[in-house]
Amino acid sequence: AAAAAAAARVAADAQLVGMREAAEEERRAAVSAADGLRAQLEAASAAAAAGAAGLQGAEQAASRATAEAAAEKERRAVADETAHALKEERDKLRDELSLLHERAAKLPQRFAAGLLLGKPMPEEDPADLGPLEQIADAHLGNIAGLASMAVAKLSPFGWFGGGAEGGGAEEEAAAATRA
């Protein structure tokens, strides 16, 4: 019976060693699986961090693009305002130049030549101007110029742009003539 007990013990020890080896193998497999899961978790965590960084970068890029678009819109508005102001200034200068041309055209010849050629006007003695009729003729141009300016303000078809407020004086005069 001792031999049978020893054989049973050897068999139990062998079975115990086999079970220990199987348990150790299962433990190694579980540790390996845990290491694999840990590596996957770290990879997923790194991917999530990269995704978050990419998302943050995309948000920053979108924010910069929005800010640049707003700045460009502001620059465009300023440019439009400047262009409008320059156009108004150009129109104003054009009107003033037209008025200057109109006034210069009404000056006596010697004054107009002095104005356009840039030569200083010689001072003349009123007695050197000639008889009173010539002086009156010289001022007749000024009177005609004033009348022309008045007609230009009242008529939409005035000389050098005309069409000032009031317009329609010619139509009213034509209607009065017909009546």
Side-chain angles (χ1 to χ4, degrees), residues 36-164:
L37 288 174
R38 189 175 300 123
Q40 286 178 354
L41 181 61
E42 287 174 359
S45 177
L55 180 61
Q56 184 180 12
E59 287 173 348
Q60 288 174 350
S63 176
R64 276 193 308 267
T66 302
E68 288 174 3
E72 181 61 29
K73 184 177 179 181
E74 182 66 26
R75 280 191 293 269
R76 234 182 255 142
V78 168
D80 288 346
E81 289 174 13
T82 303
H84 183 70
L86 289 174
K87 184 177 183 264
E88 287 179 355
E89 182 69 21
R90 181 196 66 201
D91 292 343
K92 180 182 173 190
L93 290 173
R94 187 176 287 159
D95 291 343
E96 288 177 10
L97 183 62
S98 294
L99 183 61
L100 177 67
H101 278 274
E102 185 177 346
R103 287 180 178 173
K106 295 171 191 167
L107 287 174
Q109 192 71 11
R110 59 193 171 102
F111 292 120
L115 176 69
L116 297 175
L117 298 175
K119 294 180 181 177
M121 299 297 302
E123 288 196 25
E124 298 179 13
D125 185 13
D128 293 340
L129 291 176
L132 192 55
E133 287 178 5
Q134 287 180 346
I135 295 173
D137 286 342
H139 287 291
L140 187 59
N142 293 338
I143 294 169
L146 287 173
S148 175
M149 288 170 54
V151 168
K153 288 205 180 265
L154 296 174
S155 171
F157 307 107
W159 193 44
F160 281 99

